[in-house]
Amino acid sequence: MTSAIDSDEIEITDRDADWHRFLKTRCKKELEEISREYPFRRSLYINYHDIESFGKTGTQMADELLDNPGKVIGDIRDAIKNHRLIKVKKEKEQPDINIRFLSLPRKIAIREIRSDHIGRMISVEGILRKTTEVRPRITLAVFRCPSGHRTVKAQGYGPFIEPEGCTADGCTQKKLELIPRFSRFVDSQKLRIQESPEGLRGGEQPQTIDVDAIDDITGIVTAGDRIVINGILRSIQRNSYGTKSTIFDIYIECNSIEVAEKEFEEVNISEEDEKQIISLSQDPMIYRKISHSIAPTIFGVDDVKEAIALQLFGGIAKEMPDGSRLRGDIHVLLIGDPGIAKSQMLRYVVKLSPRAIYTSGQSSTAAGLTATAVKDEFGDGRWTLEAGALVLADMGVACVDEMDKMDKNDRSALHEAMEQQSISIAKAGITATLKSRCALLGAANPKYGRFDDFAPIGEQINMPPSLLSRFDLIFILADKPEHERDLAIAEHMIKAHSVGELIAQHSRTPIDGVTDEYIAEQLKPVTPEIDPTLFRKYVAYAKRNCFPRLGTEAREALIEYYMKLRDLADANKPVPVTARQLEAIIRLAESSAKIRLSPLIEKADSDRTIRIIDTCLRQVAYDPSSGTFDIDKVTTGVSKGKRDLIRTIKQVIRDTADDNGRAHIEDVIERVRTQGFEKDEVDKQIRAMLRSGEAMEPKHGVIKLI
C-alpha cells in the first residue's frame, strides 16, 4: 500500500518539476509582467497549444488538463509558489493569481454536454443571451461568537453555508455573527450563453447554459456578443421548497472568455475551399451563377435574386475619425402579391448567410426584435437584459417576414437598428446600447391583399414612410398574368414536383431505368450552381478579405447618375433622389466588387448598381402624371402632386368662403378642376380632409376649414 502512495507522490513532485520547466521556458515574459503589475494583473494566460507542443510530457500534461483541470491548476499554483516564479515587492507571501487557459482543442455544442463531462475542462461557443451586473461574492466567511472567538467557513457557488457552532475548544455558542470586514470577497457575474443559430437544424429550440465568472473576467462582455467560454463543468443539486431533488443542474465554472470579435470566424475555410473560391471569383459568369444559386426552385425574379446576392456580400462599414460610423449593410424590402414565394426566398437566405435569423412580423414584438428586460431567478430576482433577434443577427442578415402585419409600435423598433445599427434600451432601470450590425431583408404584402394598378404605390404599402426611406432597395413584385412567363413558371414547377415524386417513389421501390445520373440530370433546373455550403464559405471569405476602393471611372459614373436624377428637380417638380439613395448606390457598388473579390470598384460595378437602383425607382417612385421620379412618394408618403392639390383646395375654400368661412363643395371642386386637376382626385382629397379633421362639413354640401 505504501508503495502506491509513494509512487503517487513521485508523480506529483514530478509534475511540479514539469510545470516549473514549462513556466520558465514558455511563460517567462507573462510571469514578469504579473510580478510588475500585480494586483492589477493577476491572471496568467496559458495557451493549450503551447502545453501540447512541449514534448512528450507536454502531451500528457495537456490531456491531464482536459480530464482533471482542478488538479492541474493546483499543480501550477504549487509550482509558482515553490519556485517563487512571481516576486511581488509589497507582499511577504506569494500572491494569489488565477491560472487561465486559452484555445482549447474541441468545442462542445451545448446540446451535447452530458454527465461524463462533469469535472472536466470544456469549451463552449455561442451567443451571450444575458448577463447580471458584477457583484461581490463571499469566498471565505469569518464569524464571531458572543465570547469573541472567530470561526472561518469557506463558501462556494450556490447557497450560503453557516457553521453549526463555534469551533473554539470548549465553546458551545451556536449563535454566530458574520464579520464582513475580515471576510474575503471576489467579484462575480452570471452569464447565460445560447448556442449559435447557424448550427441548428430546423425547428430546434436553441439551448442555453449558465456560466459563473469570477474575479478579473467579470464585466468584459455584454448581451449579444459571440464568445467562447472555456471552463470546468460543475453540477449543483436542485432544491425545490426545501426538498432536495435527485436531478442536478449543470453550470460552467468559467476559466477564460475569448471574444469571437472577427465576424464569420466560425466558418472554417480550408485551403482547398480557398482555391475553389478564388477560381470561382475569376469566372466571367460569376454573377449569373450566384443569382442562380439563390432559391433555384423559384423561377424568374432575377433582379431580386441579384439584389439579395449583393445584400449577402454587403458593402464596407466605415469608422470615421470623428467616431461616427457609416453602415455597409444593404437593406432590401420585397413587397408583393401573395403566392410569389417571398417567404421561401427569405428562408433560403437564412440557409446561405453565414449568420442569419428568420422571424415573422406577426409573431414578433419590439422586445423580441431588440432586447427585453427580464426579472427571474437567473439574476436572483434582479432585472437582466436578454438580447433579441436583431442583436443575435449582428454581422449577418435579419429576415423579417410579414412586416406589414407587425404592430405599429413594434415596427418603430426597427428604425434605429436599420440606420444607426445599434439598439438603445432604457427599461427597468437598465440603460444600454447593444450592437445590431445586420442587413435587413423584409417581406410585406400590399395593404389590400393585392396590388391595384390604378392606385399610387405609396398608398398600397401599409408601412410608415420613415421606415421605407431606410431601405436601400424596394422591389414591387406584382402577380400579373403574362402568357409566356406563366407557361415557363408552370413547366418549371411541374418539373420540380414530378422529380420530387420520382425520388420519393424510387427511394421506396426502385423504378427500372432510374439511376442516380438520371435523377441528377432531371434535378438540374432546380440544383444550385454553387453548393450552399461553398456559397456560405464564399460569402464569409469575401467579408473577411475583400475591401474594394472606388475607381475613377466608377466614381464618375455614380456622380453622373446621381446628378442626372437631382437635375430633374426644379422649384415645382418633386425632388427625385436624396443623399440616402447615393449612399445606397455606393454600398451596392462595393458589394458588386466584393463578389469578384476585386480590390477596385470598376465601371461594370457602377453600371450594375445603376441598373438595379433604376429598376427600383421606376417601380416605386415614378410619377406617371408628371413623367418624373418622385421619391417623396416613398419618403414622406405624400407625393409632390398631392401636396400641390391640398394647397390649391385650401386656397380655393378661403377665396370662395362667406363671412363664416363656409364654402359649397360643388363650387370648390369646379374651381380646382379649372386649375388642371381631375374631378375624382379633388373629390377624393376633400373626403380625406374631412376624415382627417383638417376640414368639417357643418351641413350637407358645405365645407369649412378648421
Side-chain angles (χ1 to χ4, degrees):
M1 189 68 189
T2 50
S3 62
I5 292 169
D6 290 344
S7 67
D8 249 333
E9 280 173 2
I10 291 162
E11 183 66 21
I12 290 168
T13 50
D14 206 0
R15 275 283 171 263
D16 183 67
D18 289 340
W19 281 114
H20 175 226
R21 250 183 37 250
F22 173 81
L23 293 168
K24 283 292 276 184
T25 51
R26 298 285 173 95
C27 304
K28 197 175 177 189
K29 194 173 160 213
E30 285 88 342
L31 288 165
E32 283 172 0
E33 280 178 10
I34 293 172
S35 300
R36 276 200 310 274
E37 297 177 27
Y38 186 84
F40 302 105
R41 260 188 83 163
R42 51 185 183 278
S43 285
L44 172 65
Y45 284 93
I46 300 174
N47 195 312
Y48 179 86
H49 301 305
D50 288 348
I51 306 174
E52 209 175 22
S53 60
F54 193 62
K56 193 180 170 192
T57 48
T59 318
Q60 292 170 358
M61 284 148 66
D63 290 346
E64 197 178 13
L65 167 66
L66 296 179
D67 293 337
N68 197 348
K71 174 185 175 295
V72 170
I73 290 170
D75 287 350
I76 297 173
R77 283 218 169 99
D78 289 345
I80 291 173
K81 202 178 251 177
N82 298 344
H83 301 278
R84 289 192 60 79
L85 294 176
I86 294 179
K87 300 173 185 68
V88 180
K89 294 167 192 169
K90 292 177 187 172
E91 301 211 5
K92 291 183 177 69
E93 47 187 81
Q94 275 289 300
D96 191 17
I97 70 158
N98 302 305
I99 313 296
R100 306 201 186 280
F101 299 95
L102 299 173
S103 310
L104 292 181
R106 205 169 73 86
K107 293 183 178 63
I108 293 177
I110 294 174
R111 63 182 58 241
E112 286 167 13
I113 294 175
R114 297 290 176 262
S115 56
D116 28 330
H117 289 122
I118 292 173
R120 300 177 72 175
M121 181 73 91
I122 62 168
S123 182
V124 172
E125 182 177 21
I127 302 172
L128 201 57
R129 272 317 289 257
K130 46 182 175 175
T131 64
T132 62
E133 54 265 69
V134 180
R135 287 285 179 266
R137 180 198 297 159
I138 196 160
T139 55
L140 204 70
V142 177
F143 295 88
R144 185 171 56 202
C145 74
S147 309
H149 305 126
R150 283 192 189 170
T151 301
V152 178
K153 185 85 179 168
Q155 303 288 338
Y157 179 81
F160 181 70
I161 305 161
E162 295 198 36
E164 289 168 4
C166 181
T167 53
D169 287 345
C171 184
T172 55
Q173 295 282 0
K174 292 275 187 251
K175 198 174 177 193
L176 304 180
E177 181 196 356
L178 175 71
I179 323 169
R181 201 171 131 225
F182 296 110
S183 300
R184 192 185 297 164
F185 291 87
V186 68
D187 290 328
S188 84
Q189 184 181 30
K190 253 172 96 175
L191 319 171
R192 181 166 288 170
I193 189 172
Q194 173 187 304
E195 54 193 339
S196 303
E198 53 268 10
L200 296 181
R201 294 193 299 275
E204 283 183 329
Q205 190 178 351
Q207 295 194 5
T208 59
I209 191 166
D210 287 357
V211 179
D212 175 41
I214 59 166
D215 205 16
D216 53 352
I217 51 170
T218 53
I220 58 172
V221 284
T222 52
D225 285 353
R226 299 222 158 203
I227 57 173
V228 176
I229 297 272
N230 305 311
I232 305 167
L233 189 70
R234 301 284 191 205
S235 61
I236 188 168
Q237 194 167 16
R238 276 191 193 170
N239 196 337
S240 55
Y241 305 112
T243 47
K244 290 186 174 176
S245 166
T246 53
I247 304 280
F248 278 63
D249 282 324
I250 52 170
Y251 70 94
I252 296 174
E253 187 183 289
C254 185
N255 180 271
S256 65
I257 299 175
E258 298 172 53
V259 180
E261 252 311 296
K262 280 193 175 170
E263 65 265 38
F264 308 116
E265 206 59 8
E266 65 272 3
V267 180
N268 294 318
I269 299 172
S270 64
E271 284 183 24
E272 188 55 43
D273 293 333
E274 196 170 339
K275 278 182 193 157
Q276 264 184 295
I277 289 167
I278 289 167
S279 71
L280 254 179
S281 71
Q282 289 156 359
D283 186 331
M285 303 296 283
I286 181 65
Y287 292 97
R288 198 187 73 87
K289 275 190 174 175
I290 280 185
S291 54
H292 280 219
S293 301
I294 295 172
T297 45
I298 301 170
F299 182 83
V301 288
D302 288 338
D303 51 347
V304 175
K305 289 183 181 181
E306 194 172 5
I308 289 174
L310 293 176
Q311 181 185 33
L312 283 170
F313 283 84
I316 302 167
K318 298 144 192 109
E319 302 285 345
M320 291 297 162
D322 65 347
S324 62
R325 184 176 183 276
L326 301 177
R327 73 176 161 95
D329 294 305
I330 297 159
H331 301 315
V332 179
L333 178 64
L334 312 176
I335 302 174
D337 292 329
I340 283 201
K342 299 184 297 295
S343 301
Q344 207 175 327
M345 198 97 78
L346 263 63
R347 292 251 179 221
Y348 205 86
V349 168
V350 174
K351 253 190 355 198
L352 291 180
S353 172
R355 195 178 287 176
I357 298 266
Y358 175 90
T359 171
S360 173
Q362 208 154 6
S363 56
S364 298
T365 60
L369 285 172
T370 55
T372 173
V374 194
K375 193 176 192 178
D376 56 11
E377 84 292 338
F378 170 74
D380 300 322
R382 291 197 302 269
W383 288 98
T384 51
L385 266 191
E386 195 164 339
L390 292 175
V391 179
L392 299 183
D394 185 31
M395 293 293 189
V397 181
C399 300
V400 184
D401 203 356
E402 310 274 358
M403 280 185 79
D404 53 319
K405 313 276 190 306
M406 280 174 80
D407 188 47
K408 268 200 206 76
N409 306 333
D410 296 339
R411 224 185 281 143
S412 63
L414 294 168
H415 285 206
E416 187 195 354
M418 286 175 75
E419 204 56 58
Q420 271 68 45
Q421 300 217 293
S422 63
I423 285 165
S424 305
I425 295 291
K427 292 179 181 177
I430 301 171
T431 41
T433 302
L434 306 173
K435 292 182 181 127
S436 69
R437 295 159 296 183
C438 61
L440 193 84
L441 174 59
N445 288 336
K447 204 179 216 171
Y448 308 112
R450 292 185 79 80
F451 275 114
D452 177 356
D453 286 351
F454 304 102
I457 291 284
E459 289 175 18
Q460 299 190 60
I461 303 172
N462 188 19
M463 285 167 83
S466 54
L467 191 61
L468 287 175
S469 69
R470 284 172 163 80
F471 283 100
D472 299 320
L473 296 172
I474 299 174
F475 284 97
I476 304 291
L477 304 170
D479 187 10
K480 289 178 186 159
E482 198 179 296
H483 186 78
E484 282 176 21
R485 188 168 140 270
D486 293 347
L487 183 66
I489 290 174
E491 283 177 352
H492 180 83
M493 285 177 71
I494 300 264
K495 204 172 206 173
H497 279 273
S498 60
V499 176
E501 290 156 4
L502 182 78
I503 294 168
Q505 202 175 16
H506 182 65
S507 62
R508 281 283 168 86
T509 49
I511 304 165
D512 291 338
V514 175
T515 60
D516 290 347
E517 288 79 35
Y518 174 76
I519 289 175
E521 184 59 39
Q522 291 296 309
L523 278 174
K524 245 188 184 148
V526 291
T527 308
E529 296 194 26
I530 302 169
D531 181 68
T533 319
L534 181 65
F535 196 110
R536 281 171 70 130
K537 290 180 177 175
Y538 194 144
V539 173
Y541 184 85
K543 287 217 167 205
R544 258 189 238 172
N545 302 314
C546 186
F547 300 97
R549 287 180 303 110
L550 259 175
T552 318
E553 282 187 10
R555 179 188 283 129
E556 284 167 5
L558 294 181
I559 292 173
E560 187 188 334
Y561 176 67
Y562 177 66
M563 291 315 294
K564 190 173 85 184
L565 287 174
R566 290 290 292 184
D567 291 344
L568 286 174
D570 59 33
N572 298 321
K573 278 188 183 172
V575 178
V577 171
T578 63
R580 251 188 192 157
Q581 272 72 33
L582 180 60
E583 283 199 335
I585 296 172
I586 296 165
R587 277 193 285 273
L588 287 160
E590 287 168 354
S591 174
S592 174
K594 264 189 183 181
I595 291 179
R596 289 198 320 278
L597 300 181
S598 160
L600 199 69
I601 299 169
E602 294 166 10
K603 186 154 190 311
D605 297 313
S606 56
D607 292 348
R608 181 174 296 103
T609 301
I610 288 166
R611 191 188 76 243
I612 293 171
I613 290 267
D614 214 52
T615 311
C616 284
L617 283 177
R618 275 182 201 288
Q619 287 179 329
V620 180
Y622 188 68
D623 191 350
S625 58
S626 61
T628 58
F629 290 120
D630 184 357
I631 203 75
D632 285 358
K633 283 172 73 170
V634 182
T635 51
T636 63
V638 181
S639 66
K640 169 88 167 48
K642 198 183 236 182
R643 281 202 303 271
D644 292 346
L645 174 60
I646 294 168
R647 205 166 43 242
T648 311
I649 290 172
K650 285 186 174 176
Q651 195 53 52
V652 168
I653 291 172
R654 286 189 197 104
D655 293 347
T656 57
D658 59 15
D659 298 342
N660 297 327
R662 300 175 180 199
H664 286 280
I665 293 176
E666 286 299 320
D667 295 349
V668 173
I669 292 175
E670 198 51 45
R671 282 216 186 184
V672 175
R673 208 169 63 77
T674 56
Q675 297 191 26
F677 292 102
E678 291 289 321
K679 185 179 178 183
D680 290 351
E681 278 290 307
V682 182
D683 190 48
K684 192 170 153 193
Q685 193 53 54
I686 287 176
R687 299 278 158 243
M689 285 167 70
L690 290 170
R691 268 200 313 275
S692 67
E694 288 179 81
M696 62 185 275
E697 198 171 10
K699 64 180 192 196
H700 185 66
V702 173
I703 190 168
K704 180 184 178 183
L705 289 177
I706 292 173

